[in-house]
Each structure stands twice: as C-alpha cells, then as structure tokens.
Amino acid sequence: MAQGPVMMISSIYLMIGLMLSLQSYLGLRTVLFGIVLPAESLQDPAVRAIRRNYAVLTGGCAFVIGAGACWLWLRHQPARGLLIWTAAILLSIIASGFTMWISRRSAQRLKAARGWEIIVQRKRAASLAAGWKHSAVLSPWWYSANAAVMALCIFFAVARWDAIPQWLILGNFLFNKSVWVVFILNMVQALNITVFLCYHVLISRVRTSLDPEDREGSLKKQLKHKRIHSILAWGASLLMVIFYGVAQGIALYGWKGDLLMLSGILLCAALFSVLFGVMLYLRIQGIDQIKDVPSMEERHWKWLGIYVNPEDPALIVPNINGFGWTINMANRRGILIVAATLAIPVIELILIWPILR
C-alpha cells in the first residue's frame, strides 16, 4: 500500500472540504450565493441562517463522504487508496455544488419576500497610468527561482546517471530505469511552472474598475489584491516544484521513503495554512470587498457562479461568490482558457501513464 501518496491526497481532501464549507463567508458581504443584497441585509437573521446552513450542510456532507472513504480504504480496499480519495474529492465538490444551488434558491426567495430592490451602478472609472506607475504583480523573473530548482534536479540526475540503480522504488511502486522514468517528474515540474506563470500573467491582466468616489483608494486596494494573489501563486508553485524534486530524489538516490509522505503532508499543510491566512488577512483588511460594478448584475451570473456577459469586454473579473477571479465565458479566449485548464490533469496523466500501466 502506497501510504505516502494516499496520506497526501487524504490531507488534500481535508483542505478542500474545509474550504468548500467556508465558501459562504468569502467574497462580498452583500452578495449571497450570487444574489446581490442591500447593505442593511447583513444583520438579517435569515441571511445569516442561509450562510450557516450552507456551511453546516456542506461540512456534514464532506464529513460523511470522508468517513466513508476512510472506512473503505482501511477495511476493504487498501490497495486503491488513491482512487478512493480522488472519488471522495469529486463527490464532495458535487455535494457542495448541490448545496450551493439550494442556498442560492433560498437567497432568491428571501430577496423576493423582503422586497429588496438593488440598483446596479453601471458607471465606472479607470486609471490609464495604473499599468506603468504601479507594480501590480511580481515580475515574471521571480519564476526563474522555480526554474532553477527544476534545473538543479535535472543536473543531478544527469551527473549521477551511472549511480542511479536499474530498478527505482517510489512508495510501493517499482520502475525500470529509463530516460522517461528518471525525468518524468521534471516534466511535471515544467508543467507546474508553466501553469502558474500563465496564471500570473492573467492576474496582471485583470480589469481594474475604480470607484468614482474614491479612485486612488480603490486603485491601491485592487493593486494590493492582485499582488497578494501573485505572491501566493508564486509561493505555491515553488513549494510544489520542491516537492516533486524531493520525490525524484527518493526514487533516484534512495532517500528515506518516509520522506515522501512527510513532505507531502507538509506541502498540503503549508498550502492550506498560507491560503487560509491570506483569506483571513484579505477579510480583516477589507481587500476582498472589491466591487467590480459591471459584473454585479445577477442576470450575468449563471448556475454555480459562471459569468456570461457578452456585453463585457473583460476576460477576467472578480468572482462574485468568493476568492479570486473568474472568467467571462462569453469571451472566446475565456473558453480556451477553461479548456486548457481542464486539459492539465489529462496531460499529467498522459505523462505518467507509461510508468503506471
């Protein structure tokens, strides 16, 4: 039984379950599952109840699914731990989508019952100097550190090629030495760096909509928001590249096998801690309360927070439901980005399939 990967993916399950449960408390306070509410509704007990019920229901589903996966893994199918926990993650996401749909319907009925009318302000301002007067995101050169780690892993593999044993062990998997097997994790590292670098570029292209009543203040808040996400993406990429390097070292150089499980759990714990800390910081500072006015009309937000607005030229806009941004699916480039994102796990599977079959 490959304990390391299984323990890592089960840790990821815990992280995803908690993040899904907290979804209702992220993003704009005056938006309830995509339904825009007046500011005075924040203290309404019914609004608080909808958020609380979603968190309890989603957390309960995640607990039941996780308990079932743990029982199935430990008692009946220990050899299929990776498959079991992957299925548990997918089921939790589906359950979260269902509870979000229920909560959105409740928010719609509450808004109609209260007679809340929201006038969406379409007027918006922009700063043409924001791009060159202010540094919104980290320089792409920061990713040279990530590439340097990958290059170092490749250098040691090439330099010690003759010392690498003919049979490589990773967890309970045994692989015959080949160029593909030795450097497969370096390919995954390169894919990781490329994906996060593309995300970095997208962050720099996010639309900046300014508050006509406080242009300078809203500009600083949005630039800070982008920079925090930029730093978070770079740090996550670096940690993942290092983790893949450790896994490669375990397979090629006979490092202690328990190091894979330890490093995987530490990676998940670090990513979760940083992500939770960033969200808490954004909430305390009010940076997550950015109102991108043209994106606030409910008719443009479809089921589960999908943004479709052919009248909006922007490709990326703030996510009305929570953390970060989302893509305008009415934009052809947005469809290509989503397709490329969905293709990433397929590409990774294609890369590792020859050694797992």
Side-chain angles (χ1 to χ4, degrees):
M1 179 171 56
Q3 291 285 356
V6 172
M7 291 298 294
M8 185 178 67
I9 198 171
S10 60
S11 300
I12 293 175
Y13 176 82
L14 292 175
M15 180 180 69
I16 292 176
L18 184 56
M19 297 305 300
L20 290 175
S21 301
L22 295 175
Q23 181 74 13
S24 60
Y25 296 98
L26 303 177
L28 288 170
R29 296 181 178 89
T30 54
V31 176
L32 185 61
F33 298 101
I35 306 301
V36 183
L37 305 176
E40 58 270 19
S41 69
L42 296 179
Q43 304 303 321
D44 193 303
V47 172
R48 293 184 174 183
I50 291 175
R51 284 196 167 98
R52 182 177 62 252
N53 292 341
Y54 167 83
V56 172
L57 186 58
T58 303
C61 290
F63 176 80
V64 171
I65 294 172
C70 188
W71 176 78
L72 188 61
W73 167 42
L74 295 175
R75 297 292 298 273
H76 296 279
Q77 297 290 340
R80 297 186 178 181
L82 288 174
L83 179 61
I84 291 172
W85 283 108
T86 300
I89 290 175
L90 294 176
L91 285 175
S92 294
I93 293 175
I94 293 173
S96 172
F98 180 68
T99 55
M100 186 179 293
W101 175 76
I102 294 176
S103 301
R104 180 181 173 87
R105 294 291 299 272
S106 299
Q108 288 175 324
R109 290 194 295 267
L110 177 63
K111 184 176 181 179
R114 295 286 196 274
W116 289 328
E117 295 291 339
I118 311 298
I119 300 177
V120 178
Q121 175 58 258
R122 294 175 176 271
K123 185 178 179 181
R124 107 190 209 211
S127 173
L128 299 178
W132 58 272
K133 278 189 176 181
H134 306 272
S135 177
V137 298
L138 294 176
S139 168
W141 286 105
W142 279 71
Y143 281 85
S144 61
N146 307 39
V149 173
M150 180 188 70
L152 194 62
C153 295
I154 295 174
F155 171 78
F156 279 111
V158 173
R160 300 192 57 184
W161 178 266
D162 293 336
I164 297 174
Q166 186 61 38
W167 290 97
L168 307 176
I169 300 175
L170 186 61
N172 281 1
F173 294 100
L174 186 65
F175 307 113
N176 188 21
K177 176 183 172 182
S178 67
V179 173
W180 184 273
V181 169
V182 169
F183 295 105
I184 183 64
L185 289 178
N186 301 126
M187 299 179 195
V188 177
Q189 286 176 322
L191 181 62
N192 171 281
I193 295 172
T194 302
V195 169
F196 277 93
L197 187 57
C198 291
Y199 178 66
H200 173 88
V201 173
L202 290 178
I203 292 176
S204 66
R205 303 290 178 85
V206 171
R207 175 175 63 197
T208 303
S209 297
L210 308 183
D211 184 351
E213 299 179 359
D214 184 20
R215 298 191 181 192
E216 189 63 27
S218 61
L219 174 61
K220 290 181 178 179
K221 180 180 291 188
Q222 292 188 63
L223 292 178
K224 191 172 185 179
H225 190 236
K226 291 182 181 181
R227 191 167 183 83
I228 289 174
H229 278 267
S230 174
I231 295 173
L232 181 63
W234 173 79
S237 174
L238 182 61
L239 287 174
M240 294 176 69
V241 168
I242 293 174
F243 169 74
Y244 290 130
V246 171
Q248 185 182 38
I250 293 172
L252 302 185
Y253 314 125
W255 294 354
K256 188 176 180 181
D258 292 342
L259 186 61
L260 179 64
M261 180 178 68
L262 179 61
S263 60
I265 294 176
L266 288 177
L267 172 66
C268 295
L271 291 177
F272 171 75
S273 299
V274 172
L275 182 60
F276 186 78
V278 167
M279 289 192 298
L280 185 61
Y281 175 78
L282 294 176
R283 194 69 170 179
I284 293 174
Q285 296 294 320
I287 300 175
D288 62 338
Q289 302 305 302
I290 296 175
K291 297 181 179 179
D292 188 350
V293 175
S295 307
M296 292 295 291
E297 294 183 83
E298 293 174 12
R299 62 190 178 94
H300 297 312
W301 293 91
K302 308 304 179 181
W303 189 61
L304 294 183
I306 299 175
Y307 183 63
V308 184
N309 185 2
E311 302 172 0
D312 191 346
L315 174 62
I316 304 173
V317 299
N319 191 338
I320 199 171
N321 281 329
F323 190 69
W325 299 273
T326 190
I327 295 173
N328 184 2
M329 294 302 295
N331 191 309
R332 290 183 179 180
R333 292 177 297 167
I335 297 176
L336 292 176
I337 292 174
V338 172
T341 302
L342 295 176
I344 291 172
V346 177
I347 295 174
E348 291 186 347
L349 181 60
I350 292 174
L351 287 176
I352 66 174
W353 181 253
I355 64 175
L356 291 181
R357 64 183 179 179

